[in-house]
Amino acid sequence: MVGVSDSCFLRARRPVSTRSRSERAQGKAWASMDTMTKSRLFRLWLVLGSAFMVLLIIVYWDNMGPAHFNLHTALSRPHALKPFPSPNSASGDVFTSSLEILESFVREKQGPLLSKRVEQPSLPASSKPVLGNLEESVRGYDWSSHAAQQSADPDARQAERRSVLRGFCANDSFVFPTKERSFDDIPNYELNHLIVDDRHGVIYCYVPKVACTNWKRVMIVLSQSLSDQGTPYRDPLDIPREYVHNSSTHLTFNKFWRRYGKFSRHLMKIKLKKYTKFLFVRDPFVRLISAFRSKFELENEEFYQKFAVPMLKRYSNHTSLPASVSEAFSAGLRLSFATFIQYLLDPHTEQLAPFNEHWRQVHRLCHPCQIDYDFVGKLETLDQDAAQLLRLLKVDKLLQFPPSYRNRTASSWEEGWFAKIPLAWRQQLYKLYEADFVLFGYPKPENLLRD
């Protein structure tokens, strides 16, 4: 009886032992799932925490700015411009490092391809451009007829220029196309003239035919975006012209989308708020004459094929034209200034494509009513304005603005150049460029607009 009972007892215990093992296995499974859940929650909190930190940085930059960074902003508009921190100053380091943290985070989130800096073309040994040749003399500038302006107080002159610009941008009775758009409404491709130097916190809007070659050289030296045999350029005139206008040389706002994706507009606004923004302008009609001289009086193959040939066919009834600009010049076939003006006034021109940058209006290149510029330089006072700006940026010890050429397109030439242009065309041309005249304080050329 005892054996039977023991046997029954053992048989009865087996299911209990099996259930016990099952329960232990189930417990381990639950423990494993609990660990995985905790791990996922940790990763989720890590991602949320990182996103929160980025938002904090963005909010901090939008509302407070970098600690101890003494930079001229819209709040200090009524006062004279103050010097900006040098690249070696502690405040400049705080500014640069803080913004770099945000930018590096954005690049990491968007992948390694977007984190690459602007590619630099491979450069041969440098050689300074030869001055005084035909091309450089035609590309020159003039401010001799405005000599009286150079004796004015630089700070007062700057204050007046900015006041005029702000006043007409805020004046509802003065209207021109694109004036009322917001910054967010401007397409990226229209921001391609805004060159950024993150090292010194500077944004330059370049305007062709307004000393832009030399100002681009200055921006290359400041940003160290090009080097000669591994050494960044220190003298602007050491930089060959062909590399100055290479699109890969400069970081422009148009490239922000490729680098920063959906963060690009926000970073643009941060830099527009914190950086020093400047541009240089010129009498609009004199700029047109200068553009015509450099692009159509010289043997420029690109402009001959792209612009001169269509103009000659459309307005001068030429059906068969030489294949190259050198052949055209040898045959005495050149585009006239009157034909160029007719092309600008033709509504069909803008329907096909926007004006080329060399004769596009400054307000369409630089958007002065959407971007609050800190410094407005003029070609007519180039020497003084360049020296003043470099001092204000605290980089005047690092470099000097290249000397200007003395054989230039002169303001006094306007009457001669426009003598054969019909009065009605001159009046239409003024309306086309009126916003540039008004915004930048150039007097209306009454002598050209009346009989």
PDB file of all heavy atoms in Angstrom, residues 42 96 118 122 145 171 173-174 198 201 212 293 349 375-376 384 405 420 447:
ATOM      1  N   PHE A  42      13.924  54.420 -22.909  1.00  0.00           N
ATOM      2  CA  PHE A  42      15.145  55.212 -22.704  1.00  0.00           C
ATOM      3  C   PHE A  42      15.562  55.891 -23.995  1.00  0.00           C
ATOM      4  O   PHE A  42      15.899  57.081 -24.018  1.00  0.00           O
ATOM      5  CB  PHE A  42      16.263  54.300 -22.186  1.00  0.00           C
ATOM      6  CG  PHE A  42      17.585  55.002 -22.058  1.00  0.00           C
ATOM      7  CD1 PHE A  42      17.822  55.865 -20.991  1.00  0.00           C
ATOM      8  CD2 PHE A  42      18.576  54.821 -23.014  1.00  0.00           C
ATOM      9  CE1 PHE A  42      19.030  56.523 -20.887  1.00  0.00           C
ATOM     10  CE2 PHE A  42      19.787  55.477 -22.903  1.00  0.00           C
ATOM     11  CZ  PHE A  42      20.010  56.325 -21.829  1.00  0.00           C
ATOM     12  N   THR A  96      30.505  81.949 -32.325  1.00  0.00           N
ATOM     13  CA  THR A  96      30.804  80.954 -33.344  1.00  0.00           C
ATOM     14  C   THR A  96      30.539  79.545 -32.829  1.00  0.00           C
ATOM     15  O   THR A  96      29.916  78.732 -33.502  1.00  0.00           O
ATOM     16  CB  THR A  96      32.274  81.072 -33.795  1.00  0.00           C
ATOM     17  OG1 THR A  96      32.497  82.410 -34.243  1.00  0.00           O
ATOM     18  CG2 THR A  96      32.581  80.097 -34.908  1.00  0.00           C
ATOM     19  N   VAL A 118      31.510  73.853 -48.479  1.00  0.00           N
ATOM     20  CA  VAL A 118      31.576  74.244 -49.883  1.00  0.00           C
ATOM     21  C   VAL A 118      32.885  73.749 -50.478  1.00  0.00           C
ATOM     22  O   VAL A 118      33.960  73.983 -49.926  1.00  0.00           O
ATOM     23  CB  VAL A 118      31.491  75.775 -50.010  1.00  0.00           C
ATOM     24  CG1 VAL A 118      31.564  76.187 -51.462  1.00  0.00           C
ATOM     25  CG2 VAL A 118      30.206  76.274 -49.373  1.00  0.00           C
ATOM     26  N   SER A 122      40.631  73.187 -57.043  1.00  0.00           N
ATOM     27  CA  SER A 122      42.074  73.067 -56.888  1.00  0.00           C
ATOM     28  C   SER A 122      42.727  74.260 -57.566  1.00  0.00           C
ATOM     29  O   SER A 122      42.404  74.599 -58.703  1.00  0.00           O
ATOM     30  CB  SER A 122      42.566  71.760 -57.511  1.00  0.00           C
ATOM     31  OG  SER A 122      42.188  71.706 -58.859  1.00  0.00           O
ATOM     32  N   SER A 145      32.658 112.575 -59.906  1.00  0.00           N
ATOM     33  CA  SER A 145      31.634 113.608 -59.967  1.00  0.00           C
ATOM     34  C   SER A 145      30.884 113.766 -58.660  1.00  0.00           C
ATOM     35  O   SER A 145      30.058 114.645 -58.516  1.00  0.00           O
ATOM     36  CB  SER A 145      30.637 113.289 -61.083  1.00  0.00           C
ATOM     37  OG  SER A 145      29.971 112.068 -60.813  1.00  0.00           O
ATOM     38  N   ASN A 171       7.087 103.313 -46.478  1.00  0.00           N
ATOM     39  CA  ASN A 171       6.152 104.272 -47.066  1.00  0.00           C
ATOM     40  C   ASN A 171       5.162 103.548 -47.984  1.00  0.00           C
ATOM     41  O   ASN A 171       5.530 103.027 -49.033  1.00  0.00           O
ATOM     42  CB  ASN A 171       6.930 105.326 -47.862  1.00  0.00           C
ATOM     43  CG  ASN A 171       6.054 106.459 -48.327  1.00  0.00           C
ATOM     44  OD1 ASN A 171       4.833 106.336 -48.423  1.00  0.00           O
ATOM     45  ND2 ASN A 171       6.675 107.597 -48.626  1.00  0.00           N
ATOM     46  N   SER A 173       2.904 104.719 -49.836  1.00  0.00           N
ATOM     47  CA  SER A 173       2.624 105.395 -51.104  1.00  0.00           C
ATOM     48  C   SER A 173       3.683 105.104 -52.166  1.00  0.00           C
ATOM     49  O   SER A 173       3.466 105.384 -53.345  1.00  0.00           O
ATOM     50  CB  SER A 173       2.523 106.912 -50.885  1.00  0.00           C
ATOM     51  OG  SER A 173       3.761 107.435 -50.434  1.00  0.00           O
ATOM     52  N   PHE A 174       4.821 104.561 -51.745  1.00  0.00           N
ATOM     53  CA  PHE A 174       5.871 104.206 -52.702  1.00  0.00           C
ATOM     54  C   PHE A 174       5.806 102.698 -52.940  1.00  0.00           C
ATOM     55  O   PHE A 174       6.095 101.903 -52.045  1.00  0.00           O
ATOM     56  CB  PHE A 174       7.248 104.605 -52.183  1.00  0.00           C
ATOM     57  CG  PHE A 174       8.371 104.250 -53.118  1.00  0.00           C
ATOM     58  CD1 PHE A 174       8.454 104.810 -54.385  1.00  0.00           C
ATOM     59  CD2 PHE A 174       9.350 103.336 -52.740  1.00  0.00           C
ATOM     60  CE1 PHE A 174       9.475 104.482 -55.257  1.00  0.00           C
ATOM     61  CE2 PHE A 174      10.380 102.998 -53.599  1.00  0.00           C
ATOM     62  CZ  PHE A 174      10.441 103.576 -54.858  1.00  0.00           C
ATOM     63  N   ASP A 198      30.849  82.926 -41.755  1.00  0.00           N
ATOM     64  CA  ASP A 198      30.533  82.534 -40.386  1.00  0.00           C
ATOM     65  C   ASP A 198      31.660  82.852 -39.414  1.00  0.00           C
ATOM     66  O   ASP A 198      31.432  82.952 -38.202  1.00  0.00           O
ATOM     67  CB  ASP A 198      30.217  81.034 -40.322  1.00  0.00           C
ATOM     68  CG  ASP A 198      28.844  80.708 -40.895  1.00  0.00           C
ATOM     69  OD1 ASP A 198      27.905  81.480 -40.636  1.00  0.00           O
ATOM     70  OD2 ASP A 198      28.719  79.697 -41.614  1.00  0.00           O
ATOM     71  N   GLY A 201      30.900  86.600 -38.735  1.00  0.00           N
ATOM     72  CA  GLY A 201      29.511  87.006 -38.622  1.00  0.00           C
ATOM     73  C   GLY A 201      29.152  88.109 -39.592  1.00  0.00           C
ATOM     74  O   GLY A 201      28.624  89.148 -39.200  1.00  0.00           O
ATOM     75  N   CYS A 212      32.099  94.323 -57.018  1.00  0.00           N
ATOM     76  CA  CYS A 212      31.804  93.035 -56.381  1.00  0.00           C
ATOM     77  C   CYS A 212      32.976  92.057 -56.470  1.00  0.00           C
ATOM     78  O   CYS A 212      33.139  91.210 -55.594  1.00  0.00           O
ATOM     79  CB  CYS A 212      30.534  92.428 -56.956  1.00  0.00           C
ATOM     80  SG  CYS A 212      30.712  91.637 -58.559  1.00  0.00           S
ATOM     81  N   ARG A 293      29.402  98.080 -71.306  1.00  0.00           N
ATOM     82  CA  ARG A 293      30.803  98.178 -71.739  1.00  0.00           C
ATOM     83  C   ARG A 293      31.552  96.874 -71.507  1.00  0.00           C
ATOM     84  O   ARG A 293      32.278  96.391 -72.386  1.00  0.00           O
ATOM     85  CB  ARG A 293      31.512  99.303 -70.983  1.00  0.00           C
ATOM     86  CG  ARG A 293      31.033 100.710 -71.304  1.00  0.00           C
ATOM     87  CD  ARG A 293      31.861 101.723 -70.515  1.00  0.00           C
ATOM     88  NE  ARG A 293      33.229 101.794 -71.012  1.00  0.00           N
ATOM     89  CZ  ARG A 293      34.258 102.221 -70.292  1.00  0.00           C
ATOM     90  NH1 ARG A 293      34.086 102.581 -69.024  1.00  0.00           N
ATOM     91  NH2 ARG A 293      35.466 102.274 -70.819  1.00  0.00           N
ATOM     92  N   THR A 349      11.233  90.214 -72.803  1.00  0.00           N
ATOM     93  CA  THR A 349      12.505  89.827 -72.172  1.00  0.00           C
ATOM     94  C   THR A 349      12.282  89.169 -70.825  1.00  0.00           C
ATOM     95  O   THR A 349      12.793  88.074 -70.545  1.00  0.00           O
ATOM     96  CB  THR A 349      13.414  91.062 -72.014  1.00  0.00           C
ATOM     97  OG1 THR A 349      13.689  91.614 -73.303  1.00  0.00           O
ATOM     98  CG2 THR A 349      14.722  90.689 -71.342  1.00  0.00           C
ATOM     99  N   PHE A 375      24.810  98.245 -43.176  1.00  0.00           N
ATOM    100  CA  PHE A 375      25.749  99.160 -43.835  1.00  0.00           C
ATOM    101  C   PHE A 375      25.421  99.223 -45.315  1.00  0.00           C
ATOM    102  O   PHE A 375      25.320  98.196 -45.985  1.00  0.00           O
ATOM    103  CB  PHE A 375      27.190  98.688 -43.636  1.00  0.00           C
ATOM    104  CG  PHE A 375      28.234  99.689 -44.031  1.00  0.00           C
ATOM    105  CD1 PHE A 375      28.789 100.555 -43.100  1.00  0.00           C
ATOM    106  CD2 PHE A 375      28.671  99.781 -45.354  1.00  0.00           C
ATOM    107  CE1 PHE A 375      29.751 101.484 -43.461  1.00  0.00           C
ATOM    108  CE2 PHE A 375      29.631 100.704 -45.731  1.00  0.00           C
ATOM    109  CZ  PHE A 375      30.175 101.562 -44.774  1.00  0.00           C
ATOM    110  N   VAL A 376      25.231 100.444 -45.819  1.00  0.00           N
ATOM    111  CA  VAL A 376      24.957 100.667 -47.240  1.00  0.00           C
ATOM    112  C   VAL A 376      26.113 101.482 -47.812  1.00  0.00           C
ATOM    113  O   VAL A 376      26.234 102.680 -47.547  1.00  0.00           O
ATOM    114  CB  VAL A 376      23.628 101.409 -47.450  1.00  0.00           C
ATOM    115  CG1 VAL A 376      23.381 101.635 -48.952  1.00  0.00           C
ATOM    116  CG2 VAL A 376      22.470 100.634 -46.830  1.00  0.00           C
ATOM    117  N   GLN A 384      36.249 105.651 -48.941  1.00  0.00           N
ATOM    118  CA  GLN A 384      35.869 105.953 -47.558  1.00  0.00           C
ATOM    119  C   GLN A 384      34.978 104.868 -46.971  1.00  0.00           C
ATOM    120  O   GLN A 384      35.157 104.449 -45.824  1.00  0.00           O
ATOM    121  CB  GLN A 384      35.146 107.303 -47.496  1.00  0.00           C
ATOM    122  CG  GLN A 384      36.072 108.508 -47.587  1.00  0.00           C
ATOM    123  CD  GLN A 384      35.341 109.789 -47.207  1.00  0.00           C
ATOM    124  OE1 GLN A 384      34.126 109.810 -47.056  1.00  0.00           O
ATOM    125  NE2 GLN A 384      36.089 110.863 -47.069  1.00  0.00           N
ATOM    126  N   TYR A 405      40.518 101.123 -59.729  1.00  0.00           N
ATOM    127  CA  TYR A 405      41.085 101.558 -60.997  1.00  0.00           C
ATOM    128  C   TYR A 405      40.592 102.955 -61.338  1.00  0.00           C
ATOM    129  O   TYR A 405      39.474 103.335 -61.025  1.00  0.00           O
ATOM    130  CB  TYR A 405      40.702 100.574 -62.097  1.00  0.00           C
ATOM    131  CG  TYR A 405      41.049  99.160 -61.743  1.00  0.00           C
ATOM    132  CD1 TYR A 405      40.050  98.210 -61.538  1.00  0.00           C
ATOM    133  CD2 TYR A 405      42.369  98.785 -61.563  1.00  0.00           C
ATOM    134  CE1 TYR A 405      40.371  96.911 -61.180  1.00  0.00           C
ATOM    135  CE2 TYR A 405      42.703  97.487 -61.205  1.00  0.00           C
ATOM    136  CZ  TYR A 405      41.699  96.555 -61.013  1.00  0.00           C
ATOM    137  OH  TYR A 405      42.022  95.286 -60.660  1.00  0.00           O
ATOM    138  N   LYS A 420      21.477 109.355 -77.998  1.00  0.00           N
ATOM    139  CA  LYS A 420      20.775 108.763 -79.129  1.00  0.00           C
ATOM    140  C   LYS A 420      19.597 107.875 -78.709  1.00  0.00           C
ATOM    141  O   LYS A 420      18.997 107.201 -79.547  1.00  0.00           O
ATOM    142  CB  LYS A 420      21.746 107.951 -79.980  1.00  0.00           C
ATOM    143  CG  LYS A 420      22.838 108.803 -80.634  1.00  0.00           C
ATOM    144  CD  LYS A 420      23.751 107.956 -81.510  1.00  0.00           C
ATOM    145  CE  LYS A 420      24.825 108.821 -82.163  1.00  0.00           C
ATOM    146  NZ  LYS A 420      25.732 108.005 -83.016  1.00  0.00           N
ATOM    147  N   ASN A 447      17.766 115.787 -66.276  1.00  0.00           N
ATOM    148  CA  ASN A 447      18.327 116.240 -67.552  1.00  0.00           C
ATOM    149  C   ASN A 447      18.146 115.208 -68.649  1.00  0.00           C
ATOM    150  O   ASN A 447      18.135 115.530 -69.845  1.00  0.00           O
ATOM    151  CB  ASN A 447      19.807 116.560 -67.401  1.00  0.00           C
ATOM    152  CG  ASN A 447      20.592 115.367 -66.880  1.00  0.00           C
ATOM    153  OD1 ASN A 447      20.139 114.646 -65.998  1.00  0.00           O
ATOM    154  ND2 ASN A 447      21.788 115.157 -67.413  1.00  0.00           N
TER     155      ASN A 447
END
